[in-house]
Amino acid sequence: MAAERGTPAEALVGQVVLPGDLLLLPAHYDEDAEGERLRLSGGAAPQGRLLCGPGLRRSGAGLLVTTCGLLRHRPGGGGAYWVDSQQKRYVPVKGDHVIGIVTAKAGDVFRLDVGGSEPASLSYLAFEGATKRNRPNVQVGDLIYGQFVVANKDMEPEMVCIDSSGKSSGMGIIGQDGFLFKVSLGLIRKLLAPKCEIIQELSQLYPFELVIGMNGRIWVKAKTVQQTLIIVNILEACEYMTAEQRKQALAKLSGN
């Protein structure tokens, strides 16, 4: 590819791109003050923002590819470009909801393994209703579902288990039972997509609890250990199965 000269981004949508490739954008995209978001400048008021997603970063007149994978584009508004890759190494991103494993207690802070290059910190006050006298019962080895509020290359990642209004919103300590496993980040994005067919089809097979972390970790708990393992195996296989193959496998399990 002509990485140095650059290639129009719209011409590479759906194709494999490599780190170092330069994707050129149409002339009507201008960089805004944030540097990573682009804005339409062809009218009196901006019509939307073009978002620079995972695997890309702003570079001069276009976007520089930082991850190997398929280039994707979402139209509408300003639209978005990102690289759909099968990477398993997670890089913390502010706002991501992840599953962490408590590895240590250090004073008033818990250290969590989130699958990144360094552990994340979680204050004992970052739980709903937590005070100096009412501390959460968090032990080493517990699973925590939380959100990053600080995540950049110059600072230690920091997590919380409350939203902006101080509510847990489903975050906090995950139950002791259940099964935790790891998948690629590409499968995670697929499962978190609105109206995901995989989740809808599985919910018709067995009732179960499911927690999905953007760091590639999934926690599942069904009524029995056997049902839990069946759901785990199906979710792991979904990455390599077509929709028809998945439906056939689910039909055999349901006895239809």
Side-chain angles (χ1 to χ4, degrees):
M1 283 185 183
E4 296 181 359
R5 292 176 298 167
T7 306
E10 59 268 24
L12 294 177
V13 174
Q15 298 185 32
V16 175
V17 291
L18 301 175
D21 288 347
L22 179 62
L23 309 180
L24 300 179
L25 297 170
H28 56 268
Y29 286 121
D30 280 343
E31 182 182 7
D32 69 2
E34 294 180 14
E36 293 185 0
R37 292 170 180 251
L38 310 175
R39 182 167 54 198
L40 288 170
S41 60
Q47 301 175 18
R49 295 177 183 271
L50 175 68
L51 301 181
C52 176
L56 300 170
R57 67 179 175 85
R58 179 69 168 157
S59 176
L63 303 173
L64 186 66
V65 179
T66 59
T67 303
C68 177
L70 297 176
L71 182 66
R72 302 294 189 188
H73 176 242
R74 184 190 67 204
Y81 282 100
W82 73 95
V83 177
D84 190 1
S85 66
Q86 298 300 315
Q87 72 182 77
K88 291 193 174 183
R89 183 61 178 266
Y90 175 70
V91 179
V93 176
K94 182 179 179 181
D96 275 4
H97 288 78
V98 299
I99 298 176
I101 304 172
V102 180
T103 58
K105 291 183 179 180
D108 296 335
V109 174
F110 303 105
R111 300 291 181 191
L112 280 76
D113 170 20
V114 293
S117 59
E118 60 179 331
S121 64
L122 173 66
S123 170
Y124 75 93
L125 292 173
F127 292 83
E128 181 178 0
T131 62
K132 290 186 177 180
R133 292 188 177 182
N134 182 30
R135 298 193 175 208
N137 183 22
V138 178
Q139 304 298 326
V140 173
D142 284 350
L143 302 179
I144 304 289
Y145 181 63
Q147 181 179 22
F148 282 118
V149 291
V150 175
N152 60 58
K153 63 180 180 180
D154 301 317
M155 298 180 65
E156 178 185 63
E158 182 179 337
M159 286 176 57
V160 296
C161 292
I162 50 177
D163 58 18
S164 57
S165 59
K167 301 297 181 181
S168 63
S169 299
M171 294 181 283
I173 303 173
I174 301 175
Q176 294 294 328
D177 299 329
F179 189 89
L180 179 71
F181 62 104
K182 189 166 173 40
V183 298
S184 73
L185 304 185
L187 179 58
I188 290 293
R189 289 192 290 268
K190 187 184 298 183
L191 294 174
L192 290 175
K195 299 180 180 179
C196 174
E197 292 184 357
I198 299 173
I199 303 298
Q200 292 178 356
E201 292 168 359
L202 280 175
S203 63
Q204 297 174 4
L205 186 62
Y206 304 122
F208 63 92
E209 298 177 53
L210 183 68
V211 180
I212 301 175
M214 284 295 293
N215 56 339
R217 292 175 178 167
I218 300 178
W219 178 86
V220 177
K221 179 185 177 183
K223 199 170 185 180
T224 66
V225 174
Q226 182 182 15
Q227 291 180 0
T228 299
L229 293 177
I230 288 174
I231 294 172
V232 169
N233 289 331
I234 293 174
L235 286 172
E236 288 182 327
C238 280
E239 191 166 359
Y240 311 102
M241 295 167 61
T242 64
E244 186 60 33
Q245 290 173 333
R246 185 179 68 246
K247 290 178 181 179
Q248 290 176 1
L250 291 172
K252 288 181 180 179
L253 290 171
S254 62
N256 296 330

